[in-house]
Amino acid sequence: MDLHITGKVIKILEEQSGKGKNGPWRKRDFILETEGDYPRKVCITQWGDQIDKNSVTKDETVTAFIDIQSREYKGNWYTDVKAWKIEKGAPAKGEGDADEVIIDFGSDSDDERAPF
């Protein structure tokens, strides 16, 4: 499944780090705002070396390729939107509107895509 979202980076939060049972970790969140009539703000997390490999700067337009994962903790559910790749700028024409998340279920046909 291929998920990506395009928008403008409106805020970069401070990097966090620590040590876990698997060793040291670091993460940084940034807020992406989509375009369109009803802009959405999405908090996206970068982990480890992705922070350096795919750096983002405030006010630039990026396309974030993401994984979405939820986990339960003490009866509450938390959802993470993790970026595994960042491309600068908006996608090429025909690759989805800037305010859509495109889900590609592996079909060869673009008609099978579901925008959200």
Side-chain angles (χ1 to χ4, degrees):
M1 181 166 38
D2 179 33
L3 293 155
H4 63 273
I5 185 168
T6 300
K8 180 178 164 183
V9 177
I10 61 168
K11 188 170 188 176
I12 300 172
L13 303 178
E14 192 146 334
E15 185 175 313
Q16 300 174 346
S17 62
K19 289 193 178 210
K21 63 180 179 179
N22 296 326
W25 57 269
R26 58 192 270 250
K27 76 173 194 164
R28 181 181 64 192
D29 295 330
F30 65 92
I31 311 303
L32 192 75
E33 183 174 58
T34 63
E35 297 176 356
D37 293 338
Y38 304 100
R40 295 173 187 97
K41 293 181 178 118
V42 180
C43 180
I44 299 175
T45 303
Q46 292 179 293
W47 284 91
D49 61 349
Q50 289 299 316
I51 297 168
D52 301 319
K53 284 183 184 176
N54 293 302
S55 66
V56 296
T57 56
K58 189 174 186 239
D59 295 327
E60 78 176 329
T61 298
V62 299
T63 298
F65 292 80
I66 57 174
D67 289 323
I68 300 175
Q69 181 178 1
S70 296
R71 66 190 183 291
E72 185 265 340
Y73 180 71
K74 295 186 178 182
N76 293 312
W77 284 88
Y78 301 91
T79 301
D80 292 322
V81 179
K82 298 178 184 177
W84 55 271
K85 180 172 111 175
I86 302 286
E87 289 182 356
K88 308 293 180 170
K93 191 91 170 154
E95 290 187 33
D97 294 334
D99 64 343
E100 293 179 332
V101 173
I102 302 297
I103 301 176
D104 183 353
F105 293 100
S107 170
D108 291 334
S109 168
D110 285 343
D111 296 339
E112 302 275 336
R113 288 184 166 189
F116 290 91

